[in-house]
Amino acid sequence: MDRLQEIARRRTFGIVSHPDAGKTTLTEKLLLFGGAIQTAGAVKSNKIKKHATSDFMEIEKQRGISVATSVMGFEYEDLQINILDTPGHKDFAEDTFRTLTAVDSVIVVIDVAKGVEEQTEKLVEVCRMRSTPIIVFINKMDREGLDAMDLLDEVETKLGLKVRPLSWPIGMGSRFQGVYNMYEKKLCLFSPHGKQTEEDILEFNDLSDPELDKKIGEKPADELRGEVEIIETVYPEFTVEKYRSGELSPVFFGSAVNNFGVKELLDCFIEIAPTPRERETEERVVRPEEEKFSGFIFKIHANMDPKHRDRIAFCRIVSGQFERNTNYYHVRQGKNMKFSNPTSFMASKKSVIDDAYPGDVIGLYDSGNFKIGDTLTEGEILHFKGIPSFSPEQFRYVNNADPMKTKQLNKGLFELMDEGLAQLFTKEDNNRKIIGTVGALQFDVIQYRLEHEYGASCRYEPVHLHKACWVTSTDAEAMREFISRRKKDLARDKHVRLVYLAETAWSLRTVQEAHPKINFHLSDEH
Ligand code: G4P
């Protein structure tokens, strides 16, 4: 198979949801279809979010597991499908945002009883910013939940998505009878516990067929006819182009745990989901078909074993062909590097690979050369866009608790920041260091890892801050004035970019009004 055929058969996507909506269950069913796993219960990733609101030791244990399930590849109908796992715990939302830069499409899972939840809103917003194609899967139809029409309204208003149902439920909870698949014009009857057979799938090109009343009863059949008619008049027509440009999201209904509606979702997915997409760099757009290799690092995972300090850098291949033991150019460091044992991830089994293609994610063993966002090429200077940092939500001063271990502390802090665990800011007025995180858990993780992996110890001190805003201006004079007047609230991030540390929402507004020529950004992607 040549390179272009390899690219054409790849589909790389992520599943996002609020914790407990059914992401793990759906992933597992998809892997079962692909023959990548044999038994249910094999995917244990991300279970941390359940118990671990404050149990970071649990997270440490889980980190080992989640390396294996970070990328789950499987073959289905001659396609190579790569599912990129996204942490469910909200304290690790940044990890998820970054993983979303490495996918070509996403499936959003929503719990029919809970509707659109907070975590999903944030994640979908990031997808919308990049026009990532989205399929929506409404899960747990075997439970009582919101009315399907109301739920679609909620998806449109809260997630800002234009939707088009491609399947429609017949009842829900104890009255759930199945779905009508409008895409394939088939009636799929529900039987619990995945006991659905071929006989439960019936062709129904015309819903006025009286056979429908026999199958699901007169009243539900009439309701279905009415609702499908409404859908066809109210919702826009589905086209693959609109979906791929991120304008329109098809919606499916099902029950992951009962393996119902999952195959239909997968079959539609492989037909419509995009092949590896082009990516923007600061210099130019890079297309997957280009002959020369390029890729970027979107995630770094430290080794759990403190005796082996190497880490795994996850590289998404954007163009060309990656080959083992070949020199590639590390753009930020301006040097060539060779990888003797790059790994691929086929459903929790890691194996060394000889080559990889656009759409693939490979693991590169790293002894500290990589940072998130780094680019590898065959020599061209390229910087991939869109690996954003967002303003942290929680801040603490970090102090050295053991003066004999200053070097270790600094090294540890910098390396943990490279992994994207948190952000480090250095105050302009007194050089004190502040760690900013999305959630409180990371503070414990950092302290623990500094001690166990670097032999350094740190103490935290509270600092009351609301947000960190990256500041820019095209007016040099205005910037000079701003810096001299606000020095005590300014800091530098790890790339030495200027950041304004706002104590409260009110103080941020006041400073914005006082300095109209300064732009304040809540992410470093501007
Ligand atoms: P997550 O990864 O999005 O956090 O969700 P996960 O798949 O772990 O599912 C959360 C819970 O919802 C699990 O139950 C799972 O069995 C259940 N679930 C998933 N799909 C469906 C569905 O279609 N219908 C119903 N009724 N439940 C569903 P749990 O009791 O928390 O865990 P478990 O002991 O069953 O694994």
Side-chain angles (χ1 to χ4, degrees):
M1 206 178 298
D2 71 18
R3 192 167 50 82
L4 296 182
Q5 286 169 317
E6 288 286 2
I7 299 171
R9 71 183 203 96
R10 275 162 170 75
R11 305 286 183 278
T12 302
F13 74 106
I15 304 182
V16 303
S17 73
H18 193 88
D20 271 351
K23 180 166 69 80
T24 312
T25 313
L26 180 64
T27 305
E28 196 167 89
K29 300 298 176 200
L30 293 173
L31 293 176
L32 282 167
F33 279 118
I37 53 170
Q38 265 66 46
T39 51
V43 183
K44 285 273 178 272
S45 71
N46 288 321
K47 283 292 175 189
I48 32 172
K49 69 211 175 247
K50 295 254 165 86
H51 342 271
T53 38
S54 61
D55 184 357
F56 74 94
M57 272 313 289
E58 188 62 20
I59 290 195
E60 280 298 298
K61 274 187 245 147
Q62 290 294 334
R63 282 199 309 127
I65 298 168
S66 62
V67 166
T69 56
S70 285
V71 186
M72 288 163 282
F74 64 95
E75 300 241 349
Y76 183 73
E77 305 271 325
D78 290 332
L79 298 182
Q80 167 69 39
I81 298 179
N82 299 315
I83 307 181
L84 270 53
D85 196 17
T86 51
H89 198 294
K90 75 170 176 25
D91 285 8
F92 292 86
E94 288 245 338
D95 248 13
T96 302
F97 294 144
R98 284 188 289 256
T99 298
L100 291 178
T101 63
V103 303
D104 298 306
S105 70
V106 303
I107 295 180
V108 174
V109 182
I110 293 172
D111 181 333
V112 68
K114 304 237 174 86
V116 174
E117 295 172 272
E118 186 199 343
Q119 191 78 347
T120 314
E121 279 182 56
K122 283 199 194 144
L123 296 171
V124 169
E125 197 183 323
V126 174
C127 296
R128 276 198 291 117
M129 271 161 58
R130 308 206 167 86
S131 307
T132 309
I134 297 174
I135 297 179
V136 177
F137 183 73
I138 312 275
N139 192 27
K140 307 197 185 180
M141 290 307 296
D142 57 318
R143 289 220 181 135
E144 288 305 325
L146 306 174
D147 171 77
M149 290 281 184
D150 293 345
L151 192 51
L152 292 188
D153 282 350
E154 199 175 301
V155 171
E156 295 213 315
T157 49
K158 284 199 181 165
L159 298 182
L161 296 177
K162 273 209 160 42
V163 296
R164 168 65 157 110
L166 288 187
S167 77
W168 195 251
I170 304 160
M172 67 166 63
S174 54
R175 292 166 294 108
F176 184 55
Q177 296 203 59
V179 295
Y180 179 60
N181 184 334
M182 291 179 253
Y183 190 62
E184 295 185 352
K185 305 234 174 295
K186 283 180 184 157
L187 181 72
C188 308
L189 296 174
F190 175 67
S191 21
H193 316 301
K195 294 213 179 86
Q196 198 192 17
T197 62
E198 294 286 305
E199 281 147 39
D200 295 323
I201 301 174
L202 308 156
E203 294 247 353
F204 261 100
N205 280 316
D206 181 5
L207 283 183
S208 61
D209 187 337
E211 205 44 36
L212 184 69
D213 305 67
K214 284 196 202 139
K215 287 286 168 203
I216 61 174
E218 220 171 284
K219 194 162 167 267
D222 274 346
E223 269 171 23
L224 178 67
R225 290 183 185 111
E227 285 169 345
V228 168
E229 200 181 315
I230 294 175
I231 290 161
E232 270 157 13
T233 44
V234 171
Y235 289 100
E237 195 192 336
F238 175 77
T239 66
V240 175
E241 292 69 36
K242 279 194 243 172
Y243 155 70
R244 287 198 186 152
S245 62
E247 274 172 69
L248 189 66
S249 296
V251 181
F252 288 86
F253 293 81
S255 168
V257 81
N258 289 296
N259 205 359
F260 183 79
V262 179
K263 187 165 187 302
E264 288 74 17
L265 175 73
L266 179 60
D267 286 341
C268 180
F269 172 84
I270 60 167
E271 211 175 293
I272 66 173
T275 53
R277 305 214 298 171
E278 59 189 30
R279 290 282 187 290
E280 271 184 54
T281 67
E282 278 163 27
E283 292 77 12
R284 64 182 184 86
V285 171
V286 178
R287 288 174 305 103
E289 300 80 20
E290 290 178 23
E291 218 165 285
K292 295 226 162 110
F293 160 76
S294 69
F296 63 88
I297 307 294
F298 65 95
K299 175 178 174 130
I300 293 176
H301 222 296
N303 199 318
M304 293 270 294
D305 181 351
K307 286 189 218 81
H308 300 279
R309 196 66 76 64
D310 59 349
R311 318 187 282 182
I312 297 182
F314 289 79
C315 177
R316 151 86 197 213
I317 297 176
V318 178
S319 65
Q321 179 173 351
F322 175 93
E323 287 176 82
R324 187 159 82 95
N325 278 329
T326 304
N327 267 318
Y328 292 117
Y329 187 63
H330 186 316
V331 174
R332 183 176 53 82
Q333 294 206 336
K335 68 176 187 190
N336 279 328
M337 290 179 77
K338 232 198 271 225
F339 305 93
S340 55
N341 47 2
T343 51
S344 75
F345 306 84
M346 289 296 280
S348 81
K349 273 204 302 287
K350 278 193 291 180
S351 54
V352 173
I353 44 135
D354 289 320
D355 45 24
Y357 299 91
D360 285 342
V361 169
I362 52 172
L364 304 173
Y365 286 96
D366 171 42
S367 51
N369 282 305
F370 288 120
K371 288 185 183 188
I372 282 170
D374 276 346
T375 302
L376 287 173
T377 68
E378 289 192 24
E380 189 178 352
I381 310 284
L382 293 174
H383 297 88
F384 284 96
K385 281 189 182 175
I387 312 250
S389 292
F390 293 88
S391 172
E393 316 261 317
Q394 310 217 14
F395 301 85
R396 288 184 202 172
Y397 278 121
V398 54
N399 299 325
N400 188 359
D402 181 353
M404 305 295 287
K405 298 282 170 62
T406 307
K407 246 182 152 167
Q408 286 86 333
L409 180 78
N410 287 337
K411 183 171 189 292
L413 276 177
F414 283 120
E415 287 192 7
L416 295 181
M417 299 305 129
D418 289 349
E419 271 180 42
L421 200 58
Q423 296 179 52
L424 191 67
F425 303 103
T426 309
K427 291 276 309 278
E428 279 283 88
D429 57 348
N430 56 14
N431 276 329
R432 290 193 70 184
K433 290 189 169 58
I434 293 179
I435 290 183
T437 66
V438 178
L441 265 176
Q442 275 99 331
F443 290 111
D444 294 341
V445 174
I446 291 167
Q447 201 166 33
Y448 177 86
R449 291 188 57 193
L450 281 173
E451 195 180 325
H452 289 83
E453 293 171 32
Y454 298 90
S457 60
C458 75
R459 258 199 304 270
Y460 296 119
E461 200 183 302
V463 49
H464 184 74
L465 290 175
H466 164 66
K467 284 271 150 72
C469 300
W470 284 265
V471 284
T472 57
S473 179
T474 47
D475 187 329
E477 187 45 45
M479 193 55 138
R480 257 196 301 279
E481 195 212 326
F482 174 71
I483 292 175
S484 77
R485 280 184 54 193
R486 306 285 169 183
K487 192 155 184 147
K488 77 167 192 32
D489 298 321
L490 293 177
R492 298 276 171 181
D493 73 0
K494 66 175 176 191
H495 301 292
V496 210
R497 287 174 302 201
L498 200 60
V499 174
Y500 173 72
L501 302 172
E503 278 183 19
T504 59
W506 180 83
S507 67
L508 177 58
R509 257 196 324 274
T510 321
V511 169
Q512 276 174 313
E513 280 162 18
H515 299 276
K517 289 185 175 155
I518 305 290
N519 304 310
F520 294 76
H521 313 271
L522 283 173
S523 97
D524 66 349
E525 196 179 53
H526 39 257

